[in-house]
């Protein structure tokens, strides 16, 4: 699984999907997560990274992470073919 | 290093014609304090949910209304509509401001007496006054507003029994050009019922006809309708003078002014479309001043304004229980404030704001209450900043009808506090407890045991 290659994401969180013409706004923690996914990081790594930085607990983060992933998927911003496990 | 405030990741699709870059109405600000008192501290001290009333807002709203009318008409009297909010402390704020009491049941009547309101300053409205209620009101010299002929005959019988001449008015319903027309209460103007009742009262000579009353509806978005109604009551008053040489003392225009809430199904926010006190006052006073009353014989103008005087002073504080997604991806937020506490969520799109600072990111959300019932929806669709579990919210403009129409259903009713003029808080109604609710129940002996 990875973010589709042609997706453009600006530093301010403006995300554009050229294949559908749709644009989105992503908040800063969303940008971080997309960047980490792009780097090929696993959920375990991402979670550890964010828990160090943000005032929240693992369960909340896990729930929100998979919810976010699901929204990326619903909006066809994720390539599931590269799924390897 | 101190950790950053957590905000859950979001992705929001940008649609054409959205209100701002991030889809957030720019006016949305967190409500961290009410009258200088921190929302978080209120919840820490008194629990969540919590009703909070601002004495400052009550008094300033009342004075605004009083000024709007008294600058346009020489004799004005407000009577607090008890059913809108009859918590004793709230009634007394209005009584301290000079309001009389307007009641619609024996229970409300006794409450006004308990508060120390003089009998002659209690207006008794409504279709259900028992013989006992009427007798009490007659002996106390209260203002009895007759709703139907059966009541009129009961009063006539009582005058003989009690040997008192009661002060009465009739409630008149009429066409003011507004739908729906409230014609189930009182006597109709257009079809002559009102005159029938007035003739009966005058000919029996057993009652002192002191006033004429109407209440044309509630949340009236047209100030003009009040002008029409005031004109029709003035016409009756002048007719009484001509026919019986009888002068009534007051015209009571009832309640019904819109508050600043936004009605469901109305596209524009209440702040933009609700008439102001000045608009209503202008319509009513113009109609009365233009009627043919003799100079110095203008009737007293009574107003039974309810919601417009108290809605804005009330807030309901709550806490986020969970964020969730529905099967189709729709975001939902569950809070501990349900429709059992917020009856008015069936009428209004209540304004909801977070009680803590937030970023500019927002999401389209449905806000659900905590009841395990499908009807428990606070806001079907609201653009809210990202709330975390445990965050607090403030539901605005809930002062009218909620603290009287709320129900004990599934959960217990919370405390109500008032913030006084100095910013000090006082509990004015305790929260219910298991014991306070079950103490009303009785267990028949044979149902006590089971295996
Ligand atoms: C007779 C009468 N007076 C006053 C009121 C108060 O109305 P509102 O809260 O709309 O001002 C009501 C409410 O229905 C009423 O029935």
């Amino acid at each position: 699984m990875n973010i589709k290659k042609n997706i453009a994401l600006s530093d301010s969180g403006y995300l554009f999907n050229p294949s559908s013409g749709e644009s989105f706004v992503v908040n800063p923690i969303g940008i971080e997560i997309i960047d980490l996914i792009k780097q090929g990081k696993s959920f375990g790594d991402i979670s550890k990274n964010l828990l160090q930085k943000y005032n929240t607990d693992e369960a909340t983060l896990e729930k929100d992470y998979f919810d976010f992933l699901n929204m990326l998927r619903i909006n066809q911003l994720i390539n599931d073919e590269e799924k390897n496990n | 290093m101190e950790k950053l405030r957590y905000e859950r990741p979001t992705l929001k699709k940008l649609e054409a014609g959205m209100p701002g870059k991030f889809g957030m109405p720019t006016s949305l600000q967190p409500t961290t304090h009410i009258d200088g008192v921190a929302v978080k501290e209120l919840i820490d001290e008194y629990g969540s949910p919590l009703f909070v009333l601002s004495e400052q807002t009550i008094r300033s709203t009342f004075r605004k209304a009083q000024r709007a009318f008294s600058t346009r008409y020489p004799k004005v009297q407000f009577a607090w509509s008890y059913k809108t909010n009859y918590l004793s402390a709230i009634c007394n704020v209005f009584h301290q401001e000079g309001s009389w009491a307007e009641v619609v049941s024996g229970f409300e009547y006794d409450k006004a007496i308990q508060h120390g309101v003089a009998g002659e300053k209690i207006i008794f409205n409504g279709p259900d006054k028992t013989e006992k209620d009427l007798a009490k009101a007659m002996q106390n010299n209260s203002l009895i507003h007759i709703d139907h002929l059966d009541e009129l005959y009961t009063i006539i019988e009582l005058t003989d029994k009690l040997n008192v001449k009661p002060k009465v008015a009739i409630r008149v319903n009429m066409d003011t050009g507004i739908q729906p027309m409230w014609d189930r209460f009182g006597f109709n103007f257009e079809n002559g019922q009102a005159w029938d009742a007035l003739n009966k009262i005058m000919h029996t000579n057993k009652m002192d006809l002191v006033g004429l009353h109407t209440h044309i509806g509630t949340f009236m978005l047209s100030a003009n309708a009040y002008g029409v109604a005031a004109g029709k009551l003035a016409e009756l008053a002048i007719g009484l003078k001509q026919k019986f040489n009888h002068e009534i003392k007051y015209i009571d225009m009832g309640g019904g002014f819109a508050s600043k809430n936004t009605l469901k199904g109305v596209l524009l926010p209440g702040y933009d479309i609700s008439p102001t006190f000045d608009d209503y006052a202008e319509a009513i006073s113009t109609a009365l001043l233009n009627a043919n009353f003799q100079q110095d014989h203008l009737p007293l103008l009574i107003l039974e304004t309810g919601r417009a005087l108290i809605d804005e002073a009330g807030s309901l504080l709550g806490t986020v229980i969970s964020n969730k997604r529905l099967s189709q991806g729709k975001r939902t937020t569950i809070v501990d404030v349900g429709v059992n506490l917020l009856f008015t969520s069936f009428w209004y799109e209540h304004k909801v704001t977070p009680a803590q600072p937030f970023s500019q990111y927002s999401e389209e959300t449905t806000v659900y209450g905590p009841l395990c019932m499908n009807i428990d929806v606070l806001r079907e669709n609201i653009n809210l900043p990202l709330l975390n579990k445990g965050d607090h919210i403030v539901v605005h403009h809930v002062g009218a009808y909620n603290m009287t129409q709320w129900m004990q259903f599934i959960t217990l009713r919370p405390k109500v506090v008032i913030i006084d003029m100095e910013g000090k808080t006082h509990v004015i109604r305790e929260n219910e407890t298991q014991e306070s609710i079950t103490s009303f129940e009785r267990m028949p002996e044979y149902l006590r045991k089971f295996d």
Side-chain angles (χ1 to χ4, degrees):
Chain A
M1 174 214 70
N2 209 326
I3 306 292
K4 281 187 181 167
K5 291 238 157 48
N6 58 351
I7 298 293
L9 177 62
S10 81
D11 291 347
S12 67
Y14 179 76
L15 188 151
F16 182 65
N17 180 359
S19 35
S20 68
E22 291 172 327
S23 31
F24 303 83
V25 167
V26 183
N27 63 350
I29 192 169
I31 301 174
E32 279 182 81
I33 291 175
I34 291 178
D35 282 343
L36 291 166
I37 294 174
K38 277 185 169 169
Q39 291 166 30
K41 294 273 197 286
S42 68
F43 169 66
D45 293 341
I46 294 175
S47 161
K48 212 184 288 165
N49 185 318
L50 296 175
L51 281 172
Q52 272 169 16
K53 191 164 165 191
Y54 293 100
N55 187 10
T56 186
D57 57 88
E58 209 172 328
T60 304
L61 189 69
E62 177 170 345
K63 185 184 105 180
D64 291 344
Y65 172 84
F66 286 103
D67 180 71
F68 183 61
L69 221 57
N70 203 28
M71 291 315 284
L72 291 172
R73 189 168 284 126
I74 286 174
N75 286 290
Q76 299 174 353
L77 302 169
I78 278 182
N79 223 333
D80 269 319
E81 273 121 61
E82 295 168 30
K83 205 182 242 178
N84 43 20
N85 47 4
Chain B
M1 194 185 76
E2 198 174 333
K3 291 188 181 177
L4 301 173
R5 179 181 149 81
Y6 174 72
E7 175 179 83
R8 62 172 189 268
T10 61
L11 174 79
K12 186 184 172 98
K13 195 192 279 186
L14 289 173
E15 322 254 2
M18 281 223 307
K21 183 175 165 203
F22 302 103
M24 182 93 88
T26 46
S27 62
L28 194 62
Q29 298 286 334
T31 309
T32 56
H33 291 72
I34 297 175
D35 287 2
V37 184
V39 168
K40 183 163 185 322
E41 277 167 30
L42 285 167
I43 289 181
D44 286 348
E45 179 159 4
Y46 302 107
S48 176
L50 177 71
F51 276 100
V52 179
L53 286 141
S54 156
E55 183 176 344
Q56 181 138 16
T57 306
I58 300 176
R59 291 190 192 270
S60 66
T61 308
F62 182 86
R63 287 170 196 179
K64 217 184 289 170
Q66 175 85 37
R67 201 177 320 119
F69 281 90
S70 60
T71 50
R72 292 177 169 85
Y73 192 81
K75 293 191 281 180
V76 179
Q77 178 63 53
F78 280 85
W80 177 237
S81 157
Y82 265 43
K83 68 164 101 52
T84 311
N85 189 323
Y86 46 57
L87 292 177
S88 297
I90 299 306
C91 293
N92 278 9
V93 174
F94 284 102
H95 296 321
Q96 284 186 355
E97 290 290 329
S99 273
W100 293 359
E102 185 270 330
V103 304
V104 293
S105 69
F107 162 73
E108 289 188 359
Y109 187 91
D110 289 343
K111 217 157 190 276
I113 292 286
Q114 216 173 52
H115 297 152
V117 181
E120 66 267 21
K121 294 182 175 176
I122 303 177
I123 294 171
F124 202 166
N125 281 322
D128 175 28
K129 312 178 188 84
T130 64
E131 206 172 304
K132 219 171 108 205
D133 296 335
L134 286 168
K136 197 185 315 180
M138 285 164 70
Q139 273 154 341
N140 287 335
N141 221 9
S142 299
L143 305 166
I144 302 171
H145 288 186
I146 303 171
D147 189 81
H148 46 75
L149 281 179
D150 291 306
E151 185 174 300
L152 177 61
Y153 292 127
T154 308
I155 294 173
I156 293 175
E157 277 167 36
L158 283 170
T159 55
D160 293 334
K161 245 194 254 175
L162 303 170
N163 197 26
V164 289
K165 193 167 185 181
K167 289 208 186 102
V168 301
I170 61 163
R171 173 157 174 177
V172 181
N173 67 62
M174 60 184 76
D175 183 7
T176 58
I178 295 290
Q179 291 298 331
M181 184 172 141
W182 280 31
D183 58 1
R184 56 176 279 198
F185 303 108
F187 302 91
N188 186 253
F189 177 85
E190 284 81 17
N191 72 8
Q193 277 177 0
W195 263 116
D196 286 348
L198 294 173
N199 287 332
K200 285 194 173 77
I201 292 170
M202 293 310 294
H203 283 297
T204 60
N205 200 27
K206 291 185 173 190
M207 288 160 268
D208 186 7
L209 179 67
V210 288
L212 294 166
H213 172 231
T214 190
H215 172 75
I216 59 175
T218 193
F219 215 97
M220 306 293 293
L221 289 170
S222 157
N224 193 39
Y226 283 92
V228 175
K232 289 187 173 176
L233 290 190
E235 196 181 314
L236 290 178
I238 287 158
L240 283 164
K241 172 78 178 156
Q242 282 166 355
K243 183 165 178 186
F244 297 102
N245 194 28
H246 177 77
E247 259 177 30
I248 52 132
K249 299 206 167 49
Y250 64 83
I251 280 183
D252 179 346
M253 294 301 300
F257 300 160
S259 67
K260 302 289 182 217
N261 267 307
T262 301
L263 278 185
K264 283 198 166 166
V266 173
L267 290 174
L268 297 166
Y271 256 100
D272 296 335
I273 59 165
S274 294
T276 61
F277 288 125
D278 288 300
D279 296 332
Y280 293 117
E282 185 65 28
I284 292 172
S285 55
T286 303
L288 293 182
L289 295 173
N290 285 348
N292 287 324
F293 291 110
Q294 281 171 28
Q295 185 84 18
D296 301 332
H297 288 255
L298 280 173
L300 172 72
L301 168 60
I302 296 182
L303 297 153
E304 302 169 349
T305 311
R307 71 176 80 233
L309 287 178
I310 188 78
D311 242 352
E312 280 154 78
S315 307
L316 179 52
L317 314 185
T319 304
V320 175
I321 298 171
S322 176
N323 288 299
K324 216 171 161 172
R325 253 182 225 289
L326 300 185
S327 56
Q328 305 295 316
K330 168 107 204 213
R331 163 67 68 187
T332 68
T333 299
I334 308 171
V335 298
D336 63 356
V337 171
V339 294
N340 53 331
L341 302 183
L342 201 65
F343 184 83
T344 52
S345 55
F346 295 120
W347 306 336
Y348 296 143
E349 305 281 14
H350 273 294
K351 179 175 168 189
V352 179
T353 54
Q356 51 284 309
F358 47 79
S359 74
Q360 74 270 45
Y361 298 91
S362 69
E363 251 183 333
E364 198 64 35
T365 308
T366 301
V367 183
Y368 290 128
L371 309 178
C372 201
M373 299 280 294
N374 223 17
I375 55 159
D376 196 20
V377 184
L378 238 53
R379 285 295 304 269
E380 192 72 49
N381 264 308
I382 180 172
N383 200 18
L384 270 186
L386 311 173
L387 293 164
N388 296 323
K389 173 177 175 348
D391 278 355
H392 299 312
I393 56 155
V394 179
V395 187
H396 298 263
H397 302 177
V398 304
Y401 295 105
N402 287 305
M403 282 154 265
T404 47
Q405 283 183 278
W406 54 359
M407 358 172 209
Q408 190 275 308
F409 179 56
I410 301 185
T411 59
L412 299 169
R413 283 174 286 196
K415 282 190 171 63
V416 181
V417 300
I418 192 169
I419 303 177
D420 71 18
M421 303 299 283
E422 272 82 51
K424 269 191 13 217
T425 51
H426 310 262
V427 174
I428 58 170
R429 192 180 193 272
E430 286 295 344
N431 56 294
E432 288 168 344
T433 61
Q434 199 73 19
E435 155 67 12
S436 66
I437 295 305
T438 53
S439 66
F440 286 101
E441 297 188 30
R442 299 291 175 266
M443 180 69 80
E445 200 47 49
Y446 74 98
L447 290 175
R448 276 185 196 280
K449 292 209 180 86
F450 54 87
D451 298 321

